[in-house]
Amino acid sequence: MDVKALHRQMTNYNRWKHQLDDRLQRFEKWGQNHNMVSAEVHKTLKRARQLLRGDSFTIACVGEFSRGKTELINALLYTEGGRRLLPSQPGRTTMCPTEIYWEPNQKHRNCVRLLPIETRRTNTSLQSFKRIPQNWVTIHFDPQDPVQMRTAINQVSANKQVTPAEAARLGFSTDELGERDENGMVAVPCWRHALINLDHPLLRQGLRIVDTPGLNALGNEPELTLRTLPEAQAILFLLAADAGVTASDMTIWREHIQILRDDHCTAVLALLNKIDSLWDDLSGSQEVDSQVEQLRQLTARQLELSPEHVLTLSAKHGLLAKVGRNTAQLQRSNFPVLERMLAECVVRSQQQIIGHRLIGDSYSMIINTRNSLARRLKECEAEVGVLRSAANPDAIDTLQQLRDTIRQTHHQYHKQALSLRTSQRLLENQRAALLSPVSASQLEMQVQEAHHKLAQSWTTLGLSRAIGEFFDAVDSNIRHLEREIERANKVLTSIYERPEHNQTNAELLNRHLFRMHKERRQLRQLHTRADDFRLSLNSLLTSKSTFISRFINTLVQEVRNTFKDINRAIEHWLQEALSPLFHNNEYQKQLVEQHMLRLTQMQNQRNTHAEKVESLQTNIYQMQAALTQLEPLYREVMKAPLDDAAEVKAPADTGATIVSLSEARQASRSS
């Protein structure tokens, strides 16, 4: 059984991203050296490389208190030294949401950054606080000093004594608080949020882990559900094997996780942790295994998950087995199965990156550039052959014929360039119609109107109506935008289907149609959360006015963020929707221009026939050198293991047609 699957896959994942980034960088450098990369191509390559550098693989651990989330993280991140990374002793549970990652470029490295719980009194969102460093308490530590590191990280479980009234102002309800001490005080977490920037082998490869401490944290910090969890590639939903799915577990599942699985296609694994509590020395192993399997099948039915996505394991024994290098104990803990399934999630994330339009465009540029150059080289070699075979008196006429032919070819590319610029203006004409429904000014008017109605509302019904009307207005904006997107996509389709682009395949067009599935899902989730919140206003109104205000402001801020994302997506689409057509035409036009210039110079010079042939041959040598330098990169791209649904390659033929990668591979194999 492979106990290092996750670590190996994360290493491969990181190496693969570096290889892909290196290919794009090499192509960019090649284009600069040979003056063959336009400003538009440079922008596409830059954005593709930013996508690769900014991508990480996030695992979110979700579940009620005492489900073993922290111990699970300790087992996942264990390397050596026989110690836990996070506090997991009795009475030392994680009290605030915690993000664990490694960012070497940040100012604060190998440290714990803690946001005081008192910031809950404000309406400022958690995302906003992340951009205000002075509000955080920073504790640096030496990762090679276990005591120092443990002391710093243990702060995430710190609590403090406050009056019940102060606890209410911080957003805690009476049923969330423990018993009062002799002075009538209650315990609340010291910190609202924790960020741990730690140099660790797995984190160094791009892994990011989010630890959420129970239903209360998910309810009190709406951004965890609205932003943090949706950004995770995998969610581990922890349950206690000795309790099964409790009522609070089911609440977390229905309100916070199920929608991500259904609407975001997030990978979700339900983990029945602490199966060691079911191990019974008085019962046979077969009987225990049968009971565990029955519990797993029952949990799958309750959560409406496929059984293979419900795992039974012991994080505690997984950690102990790693510390003691006990293979039998590790296998019994079932921890390697979890690591292998997470490794599969990493592969899935890699495939999603491959399918991104920016990566497909970058690869198609490399392929079409190489094929255009190879085609032009073949034509030049044919011209040299014609010129060599011509007798000396006829050489001038032959040269003129070659020049006339190349001029006609250049004229065709020039006409196509003018047509593309007209097409770009046609697409640009859609800008106002696309941006208008999601303009910041219109949204702010709707936000101000909503805040005015909320301020004037003294009843639950009034608050509920104000929230509902705001999201109805947002939905109306999006429906308007979707109609405009449909019109804009029809314009794009008409451009791609013009006769001069008739060799462009449907796959390329489909990749450049404007879509906003992700943003639409985000807004749908926000609307759902707003509706759920409206239903709970009765119970919250008396004791949680600050929380209500913060929740509403968080919802509104998330709508603002989503609208900004849509605006950026529209701008990028307008700039890049025609980029494959522009690049293919511009590069071939550039090659023809260079050749036409050389033929003109030869015609105007009083060189001998042999000297003219040699001049053309020099041009061929230069193109051969450029092609030779590009060829290794081209072969790497052709061999790259890309998802067939997202691949874009050209045939091994030397033509300059833009076609799919799968077609290219088939053509290459048949040749």
Side-chain angles (χ1 to χ4, degrees):
M1 187 173 287
D2 186 2
V3 298
K4 295 183 178 179
L6 178 59
H7 191 283
R8 187 179 64 251
Q9 191 57 54
M10 283 301 305
T11 302
N12 292 339
Y13 176 65
N14 199 46
R15 184 186 301 118
W16 171 81
K17 285 197 302 178
H18 281 301
Q19 288 174 345
L20 184 49
D21 181 74
D22 178 66
R23 287 175 190 144
L24 302 185
Q25 186 179 17
R26 283 158 56 196
F27 178 60
E28 188 173 19
K29 186 175 181 180
W30 176 89
Q32 291 171 348
N33 290 340
H34 296 279
N35 195 27
M36 292 178 181
V37 171
S38 65
E40 290 74 17
V41 172
H42 180 76
K43 288 179 183 177
T44 300
L45 293 172
K46 182 179 179 181
R47 288 195 60 222
R49 295 184 65 198
Q50 287 174 343
L51 171 72
L52 293 170
R53 286 194 294 268
D55 184 74
S56 61
F57 183 79
T58 301
I59 299 173
C61 298
V62 183
E64 271 291 23
F65 285 106
S66 301
R67 296 295 189 261
K69 298 186 296 297
T70 303
E71 195 75 326
L72 176 77
I73 295 172
N74 285 328
L76 279 173
L77 295 181
Y78 179 78
T79 51
E80 58 182 13
R83 60 181 185 273
R84 290 179 171 88
L85 177 67
L86 300 178
S88 186
Q89 309 93 306
R92 298 288 294 181
T93 185
T94 304
M95 297 296 292
C96 67
T98 304
E99 298 180 49
I100 311 168
Y101 59 93
W102 171 241
E103 179 49 68
N105 297 323
Q106 277 192 5
K107 175 183 177 182
H108 303 287
R109 292 184 293 176
N110 290 314
C111 69
V112 181
R113 298 177 63 211
L114 302 155
L115 184 65
I117 195 68
E118 287 77 12
T119 57
R120 276 196 183 181
R121 296 175 187 152
T122 71
N123 293 328
T124 306
S125 68
L126 190 57
Q127 285 300 117
S128 298
F129 273 120
K130 286 183 178 181
R131 296 190 292 270
I132 311 174
Q134 59 266 32
N135 285 283
W136 296 72
V137 175
T138 302
I139 305 174
H140 291 273
F141 58 81
D142 180 357
Q144 303 303 319
D145 186 333
V147 175
Q148 189 183 110
M149 187 170 77
R150 184 168 60 250
T151 302
I153 294 179
N154 277 350
Q155 279 294 320
V156 301
S157 62
N159 56 28
K160 64 195 303 182
Q161 302 297 117
V162 299
T163 64
E166 175 63 14
R169 283 193 292 272
L170 293 173
F172 296 97
S173 61
T174 54
D175 59 340
E176 296 176 49
L177 304 172
E179 296 182 358
R180 302 186 184 189
D181 63 13
E182 62 275 11
N183 298 318
M185 309 287 275
V186 294
V188 298
C190 285
W191 314 108
R192 180 180 176 184
H193 201 82
L195 301 172
I196 302 177
N197 192 357
L198 172 67
D199 188 3
H200 179 281
L202 263 177
L203 305 178
R204 209 180 295 141
Q205 302 300 335
L207 181 66
R208 190 181 190 97
I209 298 178
V210 179
D211 186 9
T212 59
L215 176 60
N216 294 334
L218 291 172
N220 286 323
E221 294 294 350
E223 283 174 274
L224 288 177
T225 304
L226 298 176
R227 175 168 290 269
T228 305
L229 295 186
E231 291 177 349
Q233 282 74 35
I235 293 180
L236 304 182
F237 181 43
L238 275 84
L239 307 161
D242 56 354
V245 182
T246 66
S248 60
D249 291 329
M250 189 57 74
T251 300
I252 291 178
W253 174 259
R254 288 174 176 165
E255 294 185 0
H256 304 288
I257 301 178
Q258 192 171 29
I259 189 172
L260 295 176
R261 183 199 63 175
D262 296 341
D263 291 352
H264 286 246
C265 298
T266 305
V268 176
L269 300 177
L271 307 181
L272 285 160
N273 193 23
K274 304 184 180 181
I275 56 169
D276 51 289
S277 64
L278 304 179
W279 295 343
D280 185 356
D281 292 338
L282 298 179
S283 302
S285 59
Q286 290 184 347
E287 182 180 347
V288 172
D289 291 344
S290 176
Q291 292 174 352
V292 170
E293 179 60 21
Q294 290 176 15
L295 178 61
R296 192 174 74 89
Q297 295 291 337
L298 173 62
T299 303
R301 290 194 297 271
Q302 289 175 311
L303 301 180
E304 298 179 349
L305 276 173
S306 59
E308 59 265 25
H309 291 153
V310 180
L311 303 181
T312 58
L313 78 157
S314 171
K316 173 185 174 182
H317 281 267
L319 176 61
L320 293 176
K322 288 185 176 183
V323 173
R325 302 180 183 275
N326 188 327
T327 303
Q329 185 182 21
L330 186 63
Q331 290 180 352
R332 194 179 187 196
S333 75
N334 219 22
F335 207 83
V337 177
L338 170 63
E339 293 185 318
R340 191 163 61 245
M341 293 192 73
L342 287 174
E344 293 171 1
C345 292
V346 174
V347 174
R348 177 182 171 186
S349 179
Q350 179 175 330
Q351 292 170 341
Q352 289 172 343
I353 296 175
I354 291 169
H356 198 283
R357 177 174 54 82
L358 286 170
I359 303 302
D361 279 356
S362 299
Y363 267 27
S364 69
M365 288 173 183
I366 295 172
I367 294 159
N368 285 299
T369 296
R370 178 266 183 192
N371 287 340
S372 295
L373 183 58
R375 178 184 178 182
R376 187 73 242 141
L377 180 60
K378 181 180 288 187
E379 291 172 352
C380 288
E381 288 173 341
E383 290 172 357
V384 170
V386 170
L387 193 60
R388 276 185 176 155
S389 63
N392 194 46
D394 300 327
I396 296 177
D397 292 339
T398 303
L399 198 59
Q400 181 63 43
Q401 291 173 5
L402 292 177
R403 187 169 177 270
D404 290 342
T405 301
I406 204 74
R407 181 183 291 169
Q408 291 176 6
T409 304
H410 179 266
H411 182 66
Q412 292 174 358
Y413 287 132
H414 182 67
K415 281 181 62 178
Q416 190 170 336
L418 294 176
S419 174
L420 282 172
R421 282 198 283 271
T422 302
S423 299
Q424 183 65 47
R425 286 194 295 270
L426 190 62
L427 210 58
E428 288 286 344
N429 290 339
Q430 311 301 311
R431 180 189 300 274
L434 287 169
L435 293 175
S436 176
V438 287
S439 68
S441 58
Q442 178 168 319
L443 178 61
E444 288 310 311
M445 287 175 57
Q446 294 167 341
V447 169
Q448 292 301 321
E449 184 178 354
H451 274 294
H452 176 73
K453 290 179 179 179
L454 288 168
Q456 299 298 316
S457 299
W458 295 93
T459 65
T460 302
L461 180 62
L463 289 170
S464 178
R465 184 183 294 118
I467 297 172
E469 288 175 354
F470 170 72
F471 275 94
D472 287 343
V474 170
D475 279 347
S476 177
N477 293 348
I478 296 303
R479 287 194 297 271
H480 182 190
L481 174 60
E482 287 175 334
R483 291 192 294 270
E484 296 302 332
I485 288 174
E486 186 177 356
R487 294 190 185 98
N489 280 334
K490 286 181 179 178
V491 172
L492 185 71
T493 301
S494 69
I495 294 171
Y496 270 77
E497 291 179 348
R498 286 177 181 172
E500 61 264 34
H501 309 312
N502 61 0
Q503 293 177 317
T504 302
N505 74 328
E507 182 183 324
L508 188 69
L509 167 62
N510 185 60
R511 194 169 73 233
H512 286 82
L513 292 174
F514 184 70
R515 298 183 178 91
M516 58 169 192
H517 298 322
K518 177 184 175 182
E519 293 81 5
R520 193 69 179 101
R521 285 197 304 266
Q522 290 172 340
L523 290 171
R524 192 183 301 118
Q525 186 192 8
L526 289 173
H527 200 160
T528 301
R529 292 285 290 157
D531 287 341
D532 293 341
F533 181 70
R534 291 163 63 192
L535 295 175
S536 64
L537 277 174
N538 247 344
S539 59
L540 295 173
L541 196 57
T542 55
S543 61
K544 284 198 169 183
S545 58
T546 301
F547 169 63
I548 292 172
S549 179
R550 188 171 74 248
F551 193 101
I552 293 171
N553 285 332
T554 299
L555 286 173
V556 169
Q557 187 57 44
E558 288 302 316
V559 172
R560 285 194 184 101
N561 292 337
T562 304
F563 271 41
K564 288 179 182 177
D565 291 342
I566 294 173
N567 274 267
R568 280 193 293 267
I570 290 172
E571 292 291 351
H572 287 149
W573 180 74
L574 290 171
Q575 294 172 16
E576 299 170 356
L578 299 180
S579 61
L581 304 181
F582 269 109
H583 170 68
N584 188 52
N585 178 77
E586 184 64 29
Y587 181 64
Q588 294 187 85
K589 179 170 168 284
Q590 183 179 352
L591 288 174
V592 171
E593 283 176 348
Q594 292 174 352
H595 192 55
M596 188 170 67
L597 178 62
R598 183 172 291 275
L599 289 175
T600 302
Q601 291 173 344
M602 288 171 56
Q603 196 172 29
N604 294 334
Q605 293 171 351
R606 296 182 178 179
N607 295 337
T608 65
H609 177 65
E611 288 173 338
K612 290 177 179 179
V613 171
E614 184 60 31
S615 179
L616 277 181
Q617 189 64 53
T618 301
N619 186 40
I620 289 176
Y621 291 150
Q622 292 173 351
M623 287 195 293
Q624 284 175 335
L627 183 62
T628 300
Q629 292 175 18
L630 186 60
E631 194 68 24
L633 179 59
Y634 168 79
R635 295 190 181 281
E636 286 181 32
V637 170
M638 288 293 289
K639 293 178 182 178
L642 298 182
D643 182 4
D644 286 341
E647 293 173 347
V648 179
K649 275 195 180 180
D653 174 276
T654 54
T657 310
I658 303 177
V659 298
S660 73
L661 193 58
S662 54
E663 291 175 2
R665 188 170 285 129
Q666 291 171 1
S668 179
R669 288 171 179 168
S670 61
S671 60

